Amino acid sequence: MPLTVRVVSRQPRPFTGEVVVRALYQGQRVPELNPLLKQVGFKGQWGSGELLVAPPRSRAKLLAVVGLGDRGASLVQQGEGLRRGLGKVVMEMRRHIVRSAVLDLTGGAAPPALASAAVEAAELATYRFTDYRPKLKQEQAQRRLKTLIIVVDP
């Protein structure tokens, strides 16, 4: 069964994701996340990705952060950084049996044009060749990411 992707212009109500994914530039400050990011040493480096336990008042169980690198980098470089970081995070989500995620590209955090790179990353990270391995096929059906909602600025 393929990955279902929706691109929306505001957070879905009710919130439906198990993980909120934030794309951050190198050195970008997010007051509510800074203590958590400092604790794990996340600085927004290009292509980096971390899956973390969400802060106490979060609507999701887990929080993922993906590094876009330098804010002045080209859109192509930012897209590749998002693709690599989100790919790492999506593969880690499989270990935690995460079925749905919300990628937040709002608030000027990242251009909406990066949505296509996010879709590509999620598709590639969830793919497994399972034609000749029934046990792997069953595990893939149970553990893979099924829904990705991408929230962009209107």
Side-chain angles (χ1 to χ4, degrees):
M1 181 163 204
L3 175 67
T4 302
V5 178
R6 290 186 334 181
V7 179
V8 297
S9 61
R10 58 189 157 93
Q11 288 282 358
R13 304 272 189 251
F15 181 78
T16 56
E18 297 172 61
V19 176
V20 172
V21 183
R22 299 278 307 264
L24 302 174
Y25 289 104
Q26 191 162 348
Q28 182 178 350
R29 301 257 182 238
V30 182
E32 66 272 12
L33 300 179
N34 280 345
L36 185 61
L37 298 179
K38 189 174 183 177
Q39 192 175 32
V40 297
F42 182 84
K43 295 180 178 143
Q45 299 94 332
W46 183 84
S48 60
E50 293 284 340
L51 185 62
L52 312 162
V53 175
R57 289 183 292 269
S58 177
R59 296 176 290 179
K61 297 186 294 187
L62 298 170
L63 167 72
V65 287
V66 176
L68 298 175
D70 184 35
R71 188 179 289 271
S74 73
L75 195 57
V76 172
Q77 288 176 314
Q78 291 177 22
E80 184 61 25
L82 177 66
R83 203 176 354 265
R84 290 179 187 216
L86 187 60
K88 291 174 190 173
V89 167
V90 169
M91 287 190 284
E92 185 68 19
M93 286 180 196
R94 184 183 314 110
R95 289 186 50 224
H96 296 281
I97 313 176
V98 172
R99 306 307 289 272
S100 62
V102 175
L103 172 60
D104 186 2
L105 295 178
T106 61
L114 295 181
S116 62
V119 172
E120 188 176 318
E123 286 283 355
L124 291 172
T126 59
Y127 175 78
R128 293 287 176 269
F129 182 76
T130 60
D131 286 357
Y132 304 111
R133 300 186 62 193
K135 188 175 180 181
L136 183 61
K137 190 174 199 169
Q138 180 182 3
E139 179 185 311
Q140 172 72 354
Q142 293 171 350
R143 291 182 168 267
R144 72 174 184 76
L145 182 67
K146 290 191 174 216
T147 306
L148 175 65
I149 299 171
I150 303 172
V151 184
V152 296
D153 286 324

